[in-house]
Amino acid sequence: MVRYPLQPFEESGEDMSEAYDRAWQASITDPQAFWGEAARALDWTSPPSATFTQDDGWFPGGTLNTAYNCLDRHVEAGWGDAIALVYDSPVTDTIRRYSYSELLAESGRVAAMLAALGVEKGDRVIIYMPMIPETVFAMLACARLGAIHSVVFGGFAPLELAKRIDDAAPKVLLTASCGIEGARTIAYKPMVDEALELAHHAVERVVLFQRERHRADVIEPRDIDWDVLRADTASDPVPAPVPVASADPLYILYTSGTTGTPKGVVRENGGHAVALAWSMRNIYGIGAGDTFWAASDVGWVVGHSYIVYAPLLVGATTVLFEGKPVGTPDPGTFWRVIVRHGVKTFFTAPTAIRAIRKEDPDATFLARIGTGKCEAIFLAGERADPDTIGWLEDKSGLPVIDHWWQTELGWPAIASCFALGDVRRKRGSAGLPVPGYAFAILDESGHPVPVGHSGAVVIKAPLAPGAFRTLWNNHAGYARNFATFDGYYETGDAGFIDEEGFVHIMGRTDDIINVAGHRLSTGQMEQIVAAVDGVAECAVIGADDAIKGMVPIAFVVPRAGFDGDATLAKRVIAAVRAELGAVAALKTAFVASGLPKTRSGKILRNLLRKIVNGEEWTVPPTIEDPAVPAALHSLVRQHESA
Ligand code: COA
Ligand code: AMP
């Protein structure tokens, strides 16, 4: 075992933007040396024989265990009493703290439970659970066994869960009786039961964690009560961490692609751990003994990387928050958690800040509660509008740092590397390229556009450690991301780079939208809407929303005989909720007599977007029926004034 000591975060004291420039240059000119050095932050059971090779990816020959790196090694180094996890749940009025020793013991018990069910290295385990400590134990337990977890966000409907079950083919599914969404209790188990009926793959066992708030039915012999299994395996030894190859998958995380089938992003153990440990020190300024809080959900990549793995890899304290930015109980809840737990770096989505601002425009809660030891607030998940950043900087007095990344990458690729001391930021831009990432902006034929001009945002291949190197069961789908622009990864985002090198992300080049920081596909919603009885044609677009950034809106043209069907819009909304899930947040469907289309039949979605956003629009010369836009315009305005 090669072992390196835990380190608190210390500022280097050198001229800071130079430190960033030097790190970025070093990462691009000599990635082998740069990431080889970064890999020393981990304990490898056998050290890598190389840093990167084209065929074998990052850290070939290296073996390690991610859970060991998150837990055991810190305990072995005498750090066992330090707090690893704080569970703060205003919705259940609970605060619970787990030291590193306790988190190791708890996740070890779950590893023993899974081992008793026959889960071994390489087996898949689906985790459909709310924001409770058991979810973190379960993820770390899988990592300990070398099993591959796939966490499915609770807001997805049974059909979406079923798609993931069929693709990942898990041996075991872990769930809880309910999630708590603000004031509401959402029963998870009926959704799991329905998903298992819909899925073709037969899951061997379902382990059910019963929460006090709501108890679910146990369907024997398939289901096992979590506590019963825990008691039955109480005397089993905690399984030793299983060394896995650097390129072995740690998890699969499904994300929206442009089709109805979710893409299973595969995260490798080695590159992931190296990149996350590096990012904690150099982007977020977090080391052993610091408290970091990412107010996201473990169902998203932010939750995987920055609630669970990254803070633990560096011996920090992570906060698991079960609540909403508002209403649990009030818009002061974020500030209270930050102060209560001494959060040093805070990470959330702009939508959460907009929600707080709407309820507390003068930031009276923030003024009263303060921000304690917090040094910086990072935002990601969707474009951070300058107004929201300005409001938050003004009210908190803290630097508010927008940064950009994707599920595919696993960690930020554009940021102000705050902890490298680079405080250069520009409102409206997501920041500068993070070391490891070289960006370009290309036109449709793959040529670089002049500085300041918009185009496709691409990243030079190969991607940095931690970024995906395949999609589960779909390597061809992965390869398509590199097919359009030779030598580059196509991010799917559009934007520009300005004369100072700041990258500005302006939107997507495909049909992905971001709703309250959640990534969704309008194409997938269209597939659902098109199948609703009575729908002849449809389009789903992302409309601007003051809180959620974007919300989906459906336009449907009824089939003959359904013209006067007053239920059509409601059925469309219900279908998207039932098939995709509540998280889709499709609440408006317009029933129209026609859609704006070109003579070749292409729906003019941009025109629809302008109409719903109340922007100026003109009738394009290629339109099939010039009367349609005006008709839609009055339909939308009528709806607004109703
Ligand atoms: N389990 C079950 N249902 C869920 C869920 C979960 N884990 N998460 C969300 N839902 C449901 C919600 O209850 C809501 O249902 P409703 O239509 O019946 O009200 C629906 O899905 C939409 O949820 P959401 O988009 O979260 O809207 P909201 O109105 O409940 O809250 C915000 C709005 C802005 C407060 C909230 O989205 C938020 O805090 N966002 C932060 C963004 C974030 O964490 N992004 C992750 C990437 S960083
Ligand atoms: P996800 O995979 O869910 O993390 O979503 C990734 C997508 O969210 C990106 O491709 C962007 O379109 C969007 N996104 C994430 N962060 C930002 C940001 N800081 N600014 C603009 N868009 C962002």
Side-chain angles (χ1 to χ4, degrees):
M1 174 75 68
V2 184
R3 170 156 301 155
Y4 298 97
L6 262 179
Q7 287 167 349
F9 174 76
E10 274 170 23
E11 285 185 20
S12 75
E14 64 185 320
D15 177 335
M16 287 310 221
S17 69
E18 269 179 34
Y20 158 75
D21 289 337
R22 209 173 28 256
W24 187 81
Q25 286 296 344
S27 75
I28 301 302
T29 50
D30 193 354
Q32 302 267 353
F34 185 86
W35 292 114
E37 177 60 27
R40 291 163 52 83
L42 300 183
D43 286 6
W44 299 83
T45 29
S46 53
S49 50
T51 300
F52 179 81
T53 68
Q54 202 59 47
D55 289 341
D56 300 319
W58 290 100
F59 313 110
T63 61
L64 77 169
N65 182 280
T66 296
Y68 175 85
N69 273 279
C70 287
L71 300 172
D72 306 52
R73 65 167 177 160
H74 302 323
V75 175
E76 289 166 13
W79 195 243
D81 291 339
I83 300 300
L85 176 71
V86 178
Y87 167 56
D88 191 319
S89 169
V91 294
T92 58
D93 204 13
T94 311
I95 296 172
R96 223 178 290 146
R97 293 181 178 80
Y98 297 85
S99 67
Y100 270 91
S101 299
E102 286 165 340
L103 188 54
L104 171 58
E106 292 294 345
S107 63
R109 289 299 2 125
V110 180
M113 288 157 57
L114 291 172
L117 299 179
V119 173
E120 293 175 355
K121 180 181 170 195
D123 287 338
R124 273 81 60 211
V125 175
I126 289 224
I127 301 176
Y128 187 71
M129 295 179 67
M131 291 284 285
I132 54 176
E134 286 70 18
T135 309
V136 178
F137 306 160
M139 292 166 77
L140 292 163
C142 290
R144 185 170 200 84
L145 296 172
I148 303 165
H149 62 68
S150 187
V151 181
V152 179
F153 178 62
F156 282 121
L159 185 61
E160 285 298 304
L161 178 56
K163 287 181 191 170
R164 288 152 172 80
I165 291 171
D166 279 338
D167 194 58
K171 201 175 236 181
V172 171
L173 187 150
L174 303 177
T175 192
S177 53
C178 67
I180 302 169
E181 274 295 291
R184 281 175 310 151
T185 303
I186 315 256
Y188 275 23
K189 187 61 181 3
M191 294 201 265
V192 169
D193 291 339
E194 193 183 334
L196 290 169
E197 296 241 319
L198 291 167
H200 301 291
H201 171 78
V203 172
E204 286 173 26
R205 307 306 294 265
V206 173
V207 184
L208 170 68
F209 182 78
Q210 299 276 19
R211 301 189 74 182
E212 260 173 49
R213 176 76 61 95
H214 169 86
R215 296 187 79 78
D217 291 337
V218 175
I219 301 176
E220 286 177 330
R222 186 197 66 194
D223 300 351
I224 317 168
D225 184 284
W226 185 292
D227 288 338
V228 171
L229 181 60
R230 191 184 148 116
D232 287 350
T233 53
S235 54
D236 293 0
V238 170
V242 175
V244 297
S246 173
D248 281 342
L250 171 68
Y251 67 77
I252 307 167
L253 179 57
Y254 289 89
T255 188
S256 299
T258 50
T259 66
T261 317
K263 306 194 298 182
V265 168
V266 175
R267 189 78 59 221
E268 299 179 348
N269 275 275
H272 171 253
V274 171
L276 290 192
W278 187 90
S279 73
M280 285 314 270
R281 292 196 181 287
N282 296 292
I283 300 179
Y284 301 111
I286 293 290
D290 292 326
T291 301
F292 183 81
W293 177 27
S296 178
D297 188 289
V298 281
W300 306 110
V301 67
V302 175
H304 280 64
S305 295
Y306 292 109
I307 296 175
V308 182
Y309 289 109
L312 299 177
L313 279 166
V314 299
T317 302
T318 185
V319 179
L320 180 75
F321 172 73
E322 189 181 31
K324 295 258 175 186
V326 293
T328 59
D330 56 42
T333 201
F334 272 13
W335 319 125
R336 227 170 268 126
V337 171
I338 286 172
V339 172
R340 187 184 290 144
H341 305 299
V343 172
K344 180 180 174 196
T345 309
F346 174 52
F347 178 164
T348 188
T351 188
I353 302 301
R354 290 193 296 265
I356 292 172
R357 183 181 181 181
K358 180 165 178 246
E359 295 221 347
D360 184 18
D362 298 325
T364 49
F365 281 90
L366 175 51
R368 193 160 8 102
I369 298 164
T371 52
K373 295 183 188 153
C374 192
E375 293 182 9
I377 301 176
F378 283 79
L379 301 178
E382 53 170 329
R383 184 164 186 273
D385 53 289
D387 192 43
T388 299
I389 296 183
W391 181 83
L392 188 55
E393 288 204 326
D394 180 39
K395 302 297 181 192
S396 68
L398 295 172
V400 175
I401 300 168
D402 185 13
H403 64 328
W404 175 98
W405 46 305
Q406 306 181 303
T407 306
E408 289 85 343
L409 304 177
W411 63 290
I414 307 172
S416 288
C417 283
F418 169 74
L420 278 173
D422 197 342
V423 289
R424 283 178 289 170
R425 7 188 239 291
K426 208 181 256 189
R427 288 181 195 166
S429 157
L432 297 159
V434 167
Y437 290 98
F439 280 83
I441 308 291
L442 304 181
D443 66 16
E444 278 174 8
S445 46
H447 298 115
V449 300
V451 170
H453 286 234
S454 288
V457 177
V458 299
I459 305 175
K460 197 151 179 34
L463 295 174
F468 73 154
R469 291 193 1 102
T470 195
L471 292 175
W472 189 254
N473 288 334
N474 184 11
H475 194 69
Y478 163 80
R480 272 198 292 281
N481 294 283
F482 297 84
T484 315
F485 302 109
D486 192 24
Y488 291 97
Y489 164 69
E490 185 181 9
T491 65
D493 281 15
F496 65 93
I497 300 180
D498 68 21
E499 57 295 334
E500 288 167 90
F502 281 87
V503 188
H504 299 249
I505 301 290
M506 304 312 289
R508 293 284 301 189
T509 57
D510 53 19
D511 63 10
I512 301 285
I513 56 170
N514 255 288
V515 180
H518 310 318
R519 173 168 158 180
L520 299 165
S521 157
T522 55
Q524 183 183 6
M525 291 186 221
E526 280 182 12
Q527 283 177 18
I528 297 170
V529 174
V532 171
D533 194 26
V535 172
E537 282 187 298
C538 68
V540 177
I541 53 119
D544 292 347
D545 183 81
I547 303 296
K548 296 192 174 188
M550 274 187 163
V551 287
I553 308 261
F555 287 86
V556 296
V557 178
R559 218 163 8 98
F562 284 86
D563 284 345
D565 184 348
T567 67
L568 189 57
K570 278 204 183 104
R571 287 191 291 112
V572 161
I573 292 167
V576 173
R577 190 178 175 94
E579 290 184 39
L580 206 151
V583 67
L586 188 140
K587 308 256 162 146
T588 312
F590 291 107
V591 180
S593 53
L595 296 178
K597 285 195 285 189
T598 62
R599 282 187 279 279
S600 58
K602 194 169 171 286
I603 297 172
L604 295 159
R605 289 185 173 75
N606 215 13
L607 178 59
L608 282 174
R609 251 189 304 271
K610 285 187 173 163
I611 292 172
V612 292
N613 287 342
E615 293 168 24
E616 292 271 312
W617 53 268
T618 51
V619 180
T622 52
I623 201 159
E624 184 188 47
D625 180 351
V628 167
L632 290 172
H633 181 94
S634 51
L635 186 68
V636 170
R637 300 290 91 87
Q638 262 172 31
H639 171 84
E640 280 169 359
S641 52

